[in-house]
Amino acid sequence: MMSKIDPDLVASLGVIETRLRWLSSWTIHNANHLRESRDGLKVGGHQASCASITAIMTALYFHALGPNDKVAVKPHAGPVLHAIHYLLGNQSLDQLQRFRGFGGMQSYPSRTKDIIPVDFSTGSVGLGVAITAFASLVQDYLIAHGELDPSEAGRMIALMGDAELDEGNIYECLIEAYKHDIRNCWWIVDYNRQSLDHTTADRMFNRFDDIFATCGWRVVTLKQGKQQREVFARPGGAAIGEWIDRCPNADFAALTYQGGAAWRARLLADLGAEAQTAGLIATFDDEALAALMTNLGGHCIETLLEAFAEAEGDTPSLFIAYTVKGYGLPFAGHKDNHAGLMNSTQIESLRDSLGIAPGAEWEPYAGLGDNAAAGLKALVEASPLARARLPQAAIPVPVPPRLPFPDGKEQSTQAAFGRILLDLAKSGEPLADRIVTTSPDVTVSTNLGAFVNQRGLFRRQELHDVFAAAKIPTAQKWSGHGAGQHVELGIAENNLFLVLAALGLAAPLFGTRLFPVGTVYDPFIARGLDALNYACYQDARFLLVATPSGLTLGPEGGAHQSINAPLIGMGQPGLTYFEPAFVDELALFMRRAFEHMQATDGGSTYLRLTTRVIEQVDRPDDGWEADALQGGYWLKRPAVGAEAAIVATGAILPEALAAWQELHDDIPGIGLLNVTSPDLLHRGWSAARAGRWVNGRSEACHAAKLLAALSPTAGLVTIIDGSPGALSWLGGVRGQRVSPLGIDRFGQTGDLPDLYREYRLDKQAIFDAAAELFL
Ligand SMILES: Cc1ncc(C[n+]2csc(CCOP(=O)(O)OP(=O)(O)O)c2C)c(N)n1
Ligand SMILES: [Mg+2]
């Protein structure tokens, strides 16, 4: 390979690289050994993981990065990213000194909590990698929809650890990305062949190349650094290169740790019989031999710059950059180095080797001499990152004051959801043009089909509807094109949440608001739970519609029944869970979800729906709406000081209403509270209780206000098609007695009367629960 790279640039970047290794090490050292510890907990941080990737990040951030590129940095290289921004002047010394401390820079790059620009949060390994592929899909979506100029396209880049390649979500994403023909995506593997526990399996050698190549990726392997290439081209050198190729990962790592003398002994034992090779080895002293043997592609700035420069075009690219974990540090290569920390003697000797005077540890260019420091400063200031542009704030999209909902005495929330979206699709509302729907192979069975008929599948290349062309009758007339608004996914719920995360970050990443709506069967939220948490953690904004849900899916049975989903909805920060019983409630909550997606302090929404068709209620007025939006309203207002109420959520409202009708005679004034969001009620309760201590105000929460209509000694029968804990806590709000109904065991097939009887969700169960309170 002929080098076209300016040697001065390589030399300067080499200095920056050692500076990043130093600053990241020192930041971690400071937090663990110098800062006062008040709790005796290990602070932690990963010096070895950082040292492994500093050359890659130097070559990228200070040379190869384009102005519109976005990067997900492997979680344990967080300190390197902060050091880069420190050199750029975007990060303060105070933040570095408070690494992993309260209000300081976070352990792992965080979009919402760090003060430096972070494109994608990372932490749960694998997810930060996959989201970049879906972000490139979103970028293509925006280009195809005329929201982004093609010249503004950047690369979506993941800097990943090699152990992340063990995460299944990588391969689910790879398959989906191939189907969608994604482009402008780079994954750069810090291939140090060490995970947390151990060195990684040799048997995977070259397998990753095959897997990615099969999925249409360009695979660029950076095994040898420039010095290795030169030396191995000398007489006798090829044998050393071949020896490295055969060397098991664990042996290579152990020899790296042991150093030059060990390398020599082993190489001579294995290759010494070959005179030219032995002679070549003899030309290196121990230190030089160790440096040669670890001169891997991922540590060679020149090799990295060349590889990045040559990767032209928009083909997704995997760079396998061979590295040493802990490169340049005393525990380089040691299999236990993942959480290893240098001791004081070790870090001081690293400091001295860089010419940094004691006390000057935080100075960005300490020990370099004025001219060299000025040159580096100029290089840093001229780097692509210093010129990177942040997208403009997304223009708010008007949400209609009311979303029309279908009328009809008998309806299900799932069918109405499809209808509301269809009406939106047919409307000229600007909101409709920015809705993007997506579903992991349950588009039809979650009633999204009609929206897709109207708005089409999103495809970069035209996709003709063969059935429609052949005039074969079908309800689903789906053609794919650039203007399409539905992202079709295979059955991989994890991908659903990563796509929702990427779509839900369109505003901060690309300056355009999208309104992502994803559908899934309620029980299968659990399949993508970590990705859902990941999406919320970085404040992606979307609407999740989960349906059908609970035991109420009847004949589908226990395998498809969701039980603890309400608790997921209540427990997940960044996601507001509503469970409407009636379709006018649904329309209200969908509207709120669209508003909430673009509110500064907004978030995402989860609607738990059902296929059960139930009789709708007549509303004398819309007085119920404000309360419903806060989490609950009196469907049947209790008499003042009433001794009992039924508290119900979602699909079993008909049972609650029927029970209320009959109990009315025995318990005069009994109320029926429709809890539309156990989540909001509980959050409000927690906030009110904390409020007294946090800001000196103790205002009654919505749950307390509702329940204040009852006698303090009143009894509550709570009922939900899901974990009873979603509602039973309500008794704690005012100290009222509770008899909770709900599901805490697996269901089975059956029709609703049988199932509701067996699992105690019917009218009789409510009578029994009430009797239990009063007898
Ligand atoms: C989903 C998840 N599981 C486990 C962990 C704990 N963990 C953190 S790093 C790591 C191994 C990382 O190895 P690799 O990706 O090769 O990174 P590097 O060697 O560069 O540190 C593990 C298991 C995690 N962060 N996320
Ligand atoms: Mg690794």
Side-chain angles (χ1 to χ4, degrees), residues 49 74 76 123-125 161-164 167 192 194 196 325 338:
S49 301
K74 71 169 188 175
H76 302 75
S124 175
V125 299
D162 55 320
E164 296 194 74
E167 287 285 5
N192 59 30
Q194 276 185 251
L196 189 158
K325 190 152 172 171
H338 182 74

Side-chain angles (χ1 to χ4, degrees), residues 49 52 74 160-164 189-196 198 200 323 325 338:
S49 301
S52 183
K74 71 169 188 175
M160 58 192 285
D162 55 320
E164 296 194 74
V189 188
D190 174 356
Y191 199 59
N192 59 30
R193 292 154 292 153
Q194 276 185 251
S195 58
L196 189 158
H198 215 266
T200 52
T323 55
K325 190 152 172 171
H338 182 74

Side-chain angles (χ1 to χ4, degrees), residues 409-416 549 552 577-587 589 607-617 619 624 628 631 633 635 648-657 672-678 719:
K409 199 66 198 145
E410 307 257 309
Q411 300 200 57
S412 76
T413 47
Q414 176 177 315
S549 60
T552 301
Y577 148 52
F578 285 99
E579 186 159 348
F582 306 109
V583 306
D584 50 2
E585 294 170 5
L586 170 69
F589 303 148
L607 296 179
R608 188 170 188 249
L609 308 187
T610 175
T611 44
R612 184 181 188 198
V613 174
I614 65 169
E615 190 178 330
Q616 304 296 299
V617 285
R619 311 276 193 191
W624 59 277
Y633 66 97
L635 188 60
T649 291
I652 44 64
L653 249 293
E655 281 60 35
L657 268 166
L672 172 54
L673 183 63
N674 181 2
V675 173
T676 50
S677 174
I719 179 164

Side-chain angles (χ1 to χ4, degrees), residues 68-69 139-155 183-184 314:
N68 298 308
D69 292 356
Q139 177 171 261
D140 275 336
Y141 183 96
L142 293 172
I143 291 172
H145 283 249
E147 296 288 345
L148 193 70
D149 193 280
S151 67
E152 303 268 291
R155 286 166 301 204
R183 10 171 229 170
N184 292 309
D314 58 15

Side-chain angles (χ1 to χ4, degrees), residues 235-275:
I240 307 178
E242 287 157 16
W243 180 91
I244 294 187
D245 286 348
R246 289 191 308 273
C247 183
N249 290 338
D251 288 30
F252 189 91
L255 289 166
T256 299
Y257 177 70
Q258 290 169 302
W263 278 117
R264 186 181 308 282
R266 178 67 181 269
L267 288 174
L268 290 179
D270 289 358
L271 306 174
E274 178 52 54

Side-chain angles (χ1 to χ4, degrees), residues 14-270:
V15 180
I16 291 177
E17 192 257 310
T18 50
R19 226 12 77 139
L20 294 180
R21 190 175 332 130
W22 163 254
L23 281 171
S24 53
S25 292
W26 183 250
T27 301
I28 297 166
H29 181 77
N30 176 69
N32 283 277
H33 296 299
L34 304 181
R35 201 168 67 207
E36 186 202 356
S37 166
R38 296 187 302 177
D39 54 15
L41 287 182
K42 177 181 173 176
V43 179
H46 303 82
Q47 291 172 330
S49 301
C50 289
S52 183
I53 201 170
T54 45
I56 294 171
M57 289 180 73
T58 303
L60 188 69
Y61 279 93
F62 293 109
H63 193 73
L65 210 62
N68 298 308
D69 292 356
K70 317 268 180 231
V71 190
V73 177
K74 71 169 188 175
H76 302 75
V80 182
L81 183 65
H82 287 276
I84 287 171
H85 283 282
Y86 183 61
L87 292 186
L88 280 161
N90 295 338
Q91 180 55 297
S92 68
L93 174 59
D94 173 62
Q95 280 277 309
L96 296 198
Q97 289 178 332
R98 287 196 286 147
F99 171 53
R100 292 186 171 225
F102 190 64
M105 64 182 250
Q106 300 297 296
S107 315
Y108 310 117
S110 164
R111 284 186 54 79
T112 55
K113 298 186 173 58
D114 279 320
I115 63 164
I116 59 166
V118 171
D119 298 323
F120 302 98
S121 302
T122 53
S124 175
V125 299
L127 300 178
V129 179
I131 195 173
T132 58
F134 294 124
S136 71
L137 178 68
V138 173
Q139 177 171 261
D140 275 336
Y141 183 96
L142 293 172
I143 291 172
H145 283 249
E147 296 288 345
L148 193 70
D149 193 280
S151 67
E152 303 268 291
R155 286 166 301 204
M156 303 297 121
I157 301 173
L159 296 173
M160 58 192 285
D162 55 320
E164 296 194 74
L165 289 165
D166 285 335
E167 287 285 5
N169 85 269
I170 296 282
Y171 303 96
E172 293 183 344
C173 158
L174 210 54
I175 291 167
E176 203 57 61
Y178 183 66
K179 289 193 261 177
H180 284 278
D181 191 21
I182 61 133
R183 10 171 229 170
N184 292 309
C185 185
W186 281 12
W187 289 357
I188 305 171
V189 188
D190 174 356
Y191 199 59
N192 59 30
R193 292 154 292 153
Q194 276 185 251
S195 58
L196 189 158
D197 279 343
H198 215 266
T199 46
T200 52
D202 296 302
R203 282 178 66 83
M204 283 313 291
F205 181 65
N206 281 350
R207 293 281 76 83
F208 293 122
D209 313 39
D210 298 349
I211 293 168
F212 278 77
T214 298
C215 292
W217 287 53
R218 160 177 44 204
V219 178
V220 181
T221 302
L222 309 176
K223 194 161 196 186
Q224 300 173 347
K226 185 183 172 200
Q227 191 202 8
Q228 281 196 350
R229 294 198 298 275
E230 280 172 4
V231 172
F232 298 165
R234 293 184 207 163
I240 307 178
E242 287 157 16
W243 180 91
I244 294 187
D245 286 348
R246 289 191 308 273
C247 183
N249 290 338
D251 288 30
F252 189 91
L255 289 166
T256 299
Y257 177 70
Q258 290 169 302
W263 278 117
R264 186 181 308 282
R266 178 67 181 269
L267 288 174
L268 290 179
D270 289 358

